[in-house]
Amino acid sequence: MTTTTSPSPESDGCEATIPIDVRAVRCGPRLIQNEVTKEIPVHLLFRDEPQPAPVPVRSAVVGSRRGTGEQPRPGRGRRAPAPARPVPEMDPDLVEHPAPVLPGAAGVLAGACGAAGCVLTSWWAGGLPDIAAEALRLPASAGTGLGGAQWAAYAGAGALALFGFGGLARGRTGRAWVLGLFGRYRGTVRRTGLLWLNPLMPRRRIDVRLRHWRSEPMPAAAAGGVALRVVVLVVWRVRDTARATLGIDDHERYLRGCVEAALARVPVDPPGGAREATGTADTLTRLVTREVAPVGLEVFSVQPVRVEYAPEVAAAMHRRSVAALDAQHRASMLTSVVDSVEDTVTRLTTRGLVDLDDYERKLLVRDLTVAFCAGGREPGP
């Protein structure tokens, strides 16, 4: 048995005596026969291991309570912003673009050529009267009759005349034509004057002028939740004829729905309110403009022109308004009476007309107040 001294971690550098059986270490069975087993110094068994890196500890913050002195929890009490309402999207290919159009003179010329072809074919077949031939200064016809060539000439000349005269249209200021073919949008015509359009394309006339729409009384609410009825005047026009024509059926019905949705989110000033309605009109205009933009409409203003209480609360709010006016009238009358009494007493005392003590002054003030109040009251029937 042999004793060996080595530093102990608990003794901070002090030596400790550890009994070790040297024979057991030297003569013990080898675990690996092919390798030479070396002795491990005893002092390496008690080597200090490196301390792990300190982990930063964040200070815990608890929720605040009144009277406890606790710190508020970060992010607690903040209301998350409501997600923006998605705006409906239309077909990206459905955008207004000019339609193919020719001047009206081209249609007139084509129609005249087709009519002339029909007349010449009739002369060729011998079906043109002699009087008409003499008027047109045509030679005498051979009168070959109606054959395949004559029918083909009739068909070609008639089709040319129909295409020429059938495609004529008159463009007006403030109006537009929306053209389509086989269910697809082909373009918009905003030109004015005599035009020639493809007669095979269906046309839809649309008004692009500035228009006013006055709504019926619609439900709304004040800031305090009082039910109201609001009449709104909307100034609008069609900006994109393709989306406005093919995207919705009825423009005014769509506007009504958008205005009702905006009124449900924006409080309206009650009748006789002291605040100006400019802020409400601006908010309504911004909301409605955002709603109708995807369908090709442009809104310039949404203005409440008449605001009244709903029928179910009209009587109660009328009584409340009368009571408020009565209270205001009484307060103003009392203020004027007090000012008059004060002025009268001050003038009498300043000029030395009366010499009053506190008791007499109180009596005089009371009598003057009663007199002024009785004089200011309107006589009853």
mmCIF file of all heavy atoms in Angstrom, residues 317-341:
data_model
loop_
_atom_site.group_PDB
_atom_site.id
_atom_site.type_symbol
_atom_site.label_atom_id
_atom_site.label_comp_id
_atom_site.label_asym_id
_atom_site.label_seq_id
_atom_site.Cartn_x
_atom_site.Cartn_y
_atom_site.Cartn_z
ATOM 1 N N MET A 317 -84.738 61.547 -28.582
ATOM 2 C CA MET A 317 -83.691 62.528 -28.838
ATOM 3 C C MET A 317 -84.263 63.931 -28.986
ATOM 4 O O MET A 317 -83.597 64.910 -28.636
ATOM 5 C CB MET A 317 -82.924 62.135 -30.105
ATOM 6 C CG MET A 317 -82.219 60.795 -30.009
ATOM 7 S SD MET A 317 -81.149 60.637 -28.559
ATOM 8 C CE MET A 317 -79.958 61.929 -28.848
ATOM 9 N N HIS A 318 -85.512 64.050 -29.462
ATOM 10 C CA HIS A 318 -86.139 65.367 -29.530
ATOM 11 C C HIS A 318 -86.374 65.927 -28.132
ATOM 12 O O HIS A 318 -86.089 67.108 -27.869
ATOM 13 C CB HIS A 318 -87.457 65.276 -30.306
ATOM 14 C CG HIS A 318 -88.193 66.570 -30.381
ATOM 15 N ND1 HIS A 318 -87.751 67.649 -31.113
ATOM 16 C CD2 HIS A 318 -89.358 66.968 -29.777
ATOM 17 C CE1 HIS A 318 -88.587 68.647 -30.983
ATOM 18 N NE2 HIS A 318 -89.578 68.269 -30.178
ATOM 19 N N ARG A 319 -86.880 65.070 -27.244
ATOM 20 C CA ARG A 319 -87.071 65.535 -25.853
ATOM 21 C C ARG A 319 -85.732 65.895 -25.214
ATOM 22 O O ARG A 319 -85.626 66.872 -24.456
ATOM 23 C CB ARG A 319 -87.756 64.447 -25.045
ATOM 24 C CG ARG A 319 -89.209 64.205 -25.445
ATOM 25 C CD ARG A 319 -89.926 63.368 -24.410
ATOM 26 N NE ARG A 319 -89.331 62.047 -24.294
ATOM 27 C CZ ARG A 319 -89.723 60.984 -24.981
ATOM 28 N NH1 ARG A 319 -90.721 61.094 -25.859
ATOM 29 N NH2 ARG A 319 -89.136 59.810 -24.819
ATOM 30 N N ARG A 320 -84.726 65.123 -25.509
ATOM 31 C CA ARG A 320 -83.404 65.422 -24.951
ATOM 32 C C ARG A 320 -82.874 66.749 -25.484
ATOM 33 O O ARG A 320 -82.279 67.541 -24.735
ATOM 34 C CB ARG A 320 -82.449 64.292 -25.304
ATOM 35 C CG ARG A 320 -81.036 64.470 -24.770
ATOM 36 C CD ARG A 320 -80.171 63.281 -25.141
ATOM 37 N NE ARG A 320 -78.805 63.456 -24.684
ATOM 38 C CZ ARG A 320 -77.825 62.578 -24.893
ATOM 39 N NH1 ARG A 320 -78.094 61.458 -25.561
ATOM 40 N NH2 ARG A 320 -76.614 62.807 -24.459
ATOM 41 N N SER A 321 -83.074 67.014 -26.756
ATOM 42 C CA SER A 321 -82.612 68.286 -27.325
ATOM 43 C C SER A 321 -83.368 69.464 -26.726
ATOM 44 O O SER A 321 -82.778 70.509 -26.420
ATOM 45 C CB SER A 321 -82.793 68.259 -28.848
ATOM 46 O OG SER A 321 -82.070 67.199 -29.422
ATOM 47 N N VAL A 322 -84.682 69.302 -26.546
ATOM 48 C CA VAL A 322 -85.467 70.370 -25.930
ATOM 49 C C VAL A 322 -85.022 70.640 -24.506
ATOM 50 O O VAL A 322 -84.891 71.794 -24.078
ATOM 51 C CB VAL A 322 -86.968 70.027 -25.992
ATOM 52 C CG1 VAL A 322 -87.783 71.012 -25.175
ATOM 53 C CG2 VAL A 322 -87.454 70.002 -27.432
ATOM 54 N N ALA A 323 -84.753 69.558 -23.759
ATOM 55 C CA ALA A 323 -84.283 69.736 -22.381
ATOM 56 C C ALA A 323 -82.922 70.424 -22.340
ATOM 57 O O ALA A 323 -82.659 71.282 -21.485
ATOM 58 C CB ALA A 323 -84.221 68.377 -21.680
ATOM 59 N N ALA A 324 -82.034 70.070 -23.275
ATOM 60 C CA ALA A 324 -80.719 70.712 -23.312
ATOM 61 C C ALA A 324 -80.841 72.191 -23.655
ATOM 62 O O ALA A 324 -80.162 73.047 -23.061
ATOM 63 C CB ALA A 324 -79.828 69.999 -24.325
ATOM 64 N N LEU A 325 -81.723 72.515 -24.601
ATOM 65 C CA LEU A 325 -81.931 73.928 -24.943
ATOM 66 C C LEU A 325 -82.540 74.700 -23.781
ATOM 67 O O LEU A 325 -82.160 75.855 -23.524
ATOM 68 C CB LEU A 325 -82.832 74.030 -26.180
ATOM 69 C CG LEU A 325 -82.230 73.549 -27.501
ATOM 70 C CD1 LEU A 325 -83.266 73.616 -28.614
ATOM 71 C CD2 LEU A 325 -81.005 74.377 -27.867
ATOM 72 N N ASP A 326 -83.470 74.067 -23.055
ATOM 73 C CA ASP A 326 -84.075 74.727 -21.901
ATOM 74 C C ASP A 326 -83.052 74.990 -20.817
ATOM 75 O O ASP A 326 -83.007 76.075 -20.213
ATOM 76 C CB ASP A 326 -85.215 73.866 -21.374
ATOM 77 C CG ASP A 326 -86.037 74.595 -20.319
ATOM 78 O OD1 ASP A 326 -85.949 75.839 -20.263
ATOM 79 O OD2 ASP A 326 -86.761 73.925 -19.544
ATOM 80 N N ALA A 327 -82.203 73.986 -20.557
ATOM 81 C CA ALA A 327 -81.159 74.167 -19.545
ATOM 82 C C ALA A 327 -80.179 75.258 -19.956
ATOM 83 O O ALA A 327 -79.737 76.069 -19.126
ATOM 84 C CB ALA A 327 -80.427 72.842 -19.315
ATOM 85 N N GLN A 328 -79.846 75.294 -21.235
ATOM 86 C CA GLN A 328 -78.934 76.333 -21.706
ATOM 87 C C GLN A 328 -79.569 77.717 -21.572
ATOM 88 O O GLN A 328 -78.889 78.686 -21.189
ATOM 89 C CB GLN A 328 -78.566 76.048 -23.167
ATOM 90 C CG GLN A 328 -77.542 77.019 -23.751
ATOM 91 C CD GLN A 328 -77.188 76.676 -25.170
ATOM 92 O OE1 GLN A 328 -77.733 75.717 -25.738
ATOM 93 N NE2 GLN A 328 -76.294 77.440 -25.762
ATOM 94 N N HIS A 329 -80.868 77.806 -21.870
ATOM 95 C CA HIS A 329 -81.549 79.088 -21.737
ATOM 96 C C HIS A 329 -81.617 79.537 -20.276
ATOM 97 O O HIS A 329 -81.396 80.723 -19.964
ATOM 98 C CB HIS A 329 -82.960 78.971 -22.322
ATOM 99 C CG HIS A 329 -83.797 80.185 -22.117
ATOM 100 N ND1 HIS A 329 -83.550 81.391 -22.742
ATOM 101 C CD2 HIS A 329 -84.904 80.404 -21.314
ATOM 102 C CE1 HIS A 329 -84.430 82.283 -22.365
ATOM 103 N NE2 HIS A 329 -85.282 81.711 -21.502
ATOM 104 N N ARG A 330 -81.905 78.588 -19.375
ATOM 105 C CA ARG A 330 -81.946 78.943 -17.956
ATOM 106 C C ARG A 330 -80.581 79.392 -17.454
ATOM 107 O O ARG A 330 -80.471 80.349 -16.674
ATOM 108 C CB ARG A 330 -82.426 77.750 -17.144
ATOM 109 C CG ARG A 330 -83.901 77.416 -17.337
ATOM 110 C CD ARG A 330 -84.277 76.165 -16.575
ATOM 111 N NE ARG A 330 -85.672 75.827 -16.765
ATOM 112 C CZ ARG A 330 -86.681 76.314 -16.042
ATOM 113 N NH1 ARG A 330 -86.416 77.164 -15.054
ATOM 114 N NH2 ARG A 330 -87.923 75.967 -16.287
ATOM 115 N N ALA A 331 -79.514 78.692 -17.899
ATOM 116 C CA ALA A 331 -78.174 79.081 -17.449
ATOM 117 C C ALA A 331 -77.809 80.474 -17.945
ATOM 118 O O ALA A 331 -77.250 81.301 -17.197
ATOM 119 C CB ALA A 331 -77.150 78.053 -17.948
ATOM 120 N N SER A 332 -78.124 80.768 -19.209
ATOM 121 C CA SER A 332 -77.810 82.102 -19.732
ATOM 122 C C SER A 332 -78.644 83.180 -19.037
ATOM 123 O O SER A 332 -78.135 84.272 -18.727
ATOM 124 C CB SER A 332 -78.070 82.140 -21.237
ATOM 125 O OG SER A 332 -79.432 81.865 -21.511
ATOM 126 N N MET A 333 -79.925 82.885 -18.749
ATOM 127 C CA MET A 333 -80.766 83.864 -18.058
ATOM 128 C C MET A 333 -80.271 84.109 -16.644
ATOM 129 O O MET A 333 -80.226 85.252 -16.160
ATOM 130 C CB MET A 333 -82.207 83.373 -18.042
ATOM 131 C CG MET A 333 -83.194 84.395 -17.455
ATOM 132 S SD MET A 333 -84.874 83.771 -17.367
ATOM 133 C CE MET A 333 -84.673 82.484 -16.138
ATOM 134 N N LEU A 334 -79.864 83.039 -15.942
ATOM 135 C CA LEU A 334 -79.360 83.212 -14.579
ATOM 136 C C LEU A 334 -78.071 84.025 -14.570
ATOM 137 O O LEU A 334 -77.853 84.868 -13.688
ATOM 138 C CB LEU A 334 -79.138 81.836 -13.950
ATOM 139 C CG LEU A 334 -78.630 81.816 -12.507
ATOM 140 C CD1 LEU A 334 -79.620 82.528 -11.586
ATOM 141 C CD2 LEU A 334 -78.377 80.393 -12.033
ATOM 142 N N THR A 335 -77.225 83.783 -15.556
ATOM 143 C CA THR A 335 -75.984 84.556 -15.635
ATOM 144 C C THR A 335 -76.271 86.036 -15.841
ATOM 145 O O THR A 335 -75.651 86.904 -15.209
ATOM 146 C CB THR A 335 -75.119 84.014 -16.782
ATOM 147 O OG1 THR A 335 -74.849 82.633 -16.561
ATOM 148 C CG2 THR A 335 -73.810 84.776 -16.879
ATOM 149 N N SER A 336 -77.217 86.347 -16.730
ATOM 150 C CA SER A 336 -77.552 87.752 -16.969
ATOM 151 C C SER A 336 -78.192 88.394 -15.735
ATOM 152 O O SER A 336 -77.925 89.574 -15.416
ATOM 153 C CB SER A 336 -78.501 87.858 -18.161
ATOM 154 O OG SER A 336 -79.711 87.154 -17.908
ATOM 155 N N VAL A 337 -79.024 87.639 -14.987
ATOM 156 C CA VAL A 337 -79.647 88.181 -13.777
ATOM 157 C C VAL A 337 -78.595 88.482 -12.717
ATOM 158 O O VAL A 337 -78.607 89.543 -12.062
ATOM 159 C CB VAL A 337 -80.718 87.203 -13.248
ATOM 160 C CG1 VAL A 337 -81.143 87.575 -11.824
ATOM 161 C CG2 VAL A 337 -81.925 87.205 -14.164
ATOM 162 N N VAL A 338 -77.666 87.559 -12.517
ATOM 163 C CA VAL A 338 -76.609 87.770 -11.516
ATOM 164 C C VAL A 338 -75.759 88.976 -11.885
ATOM 165 O O VAL A 338 -75.381 89.796 -11.025
ATOM 166 C CB VAL A 338 -75.770 86.496 -11.381
ATOM 167 C CG1 VAL A 338 -74.526 86.747 -10.519
ATOM 168 C CG2 VAL A 338 -76.599 85.373 -10.769
ATOM 169 N N ASP A 339 -75.429 89.100 -13.168
ATOM 170 C CA ASP A 339 -74.639 90.258 -13.598
ATOM 171 C C ASP A 339 -75.413 91.562 -13.375
ATOM 172 O O ASP A 339 -74.824 92.585 -12.936
ATOM 173 C CB ASP A 339 -74.273 90.119 -15.080
ATOM 174 C CG ASP A 339 -73.321 88.964 -15.331
ATOM 175 O OD1 ASP A 339 -72.673 88.512 -14.367
ATOM 176 O OD2 ASP A 339 -73.238 88.494 -16.501
ATOM 177 N N SER A 340 -76.706 91.558 -13.638
ATOM 178 C CA SER A 340 -77.507 92.770 -13.440
ATOM 179 C C SER A 340 -77.597 93.138 -11.965
ATOM 180 O O SER A 340 -77.489 94.321 -11.591
ATOM 181 C CB SER A 340 -78.914 92.571 -14.018
ATOM 182 O OG SER A 340 -78.867 92.286 -15.391
ATOM 183 N N VAL A 341 -77.809 92.132 -11.103
ATOM 184 C CA VAL A 341 -77.886 92.413 -9.668
ATOM 185 C C VAL A 341 -76.553 92.946 -9.164
ATOM 186 O O VAL A 341 -76.500 93.920 -8.379
ATOM 187 C CB VAL A 341 -78.300 91.140 -8.909
ATOM 188 C CG1 VAL A 341 -78.149 91.337 -7.399
ATOM 189 C CG2 VAL A 341 -79.733 90.757 -9.249
#
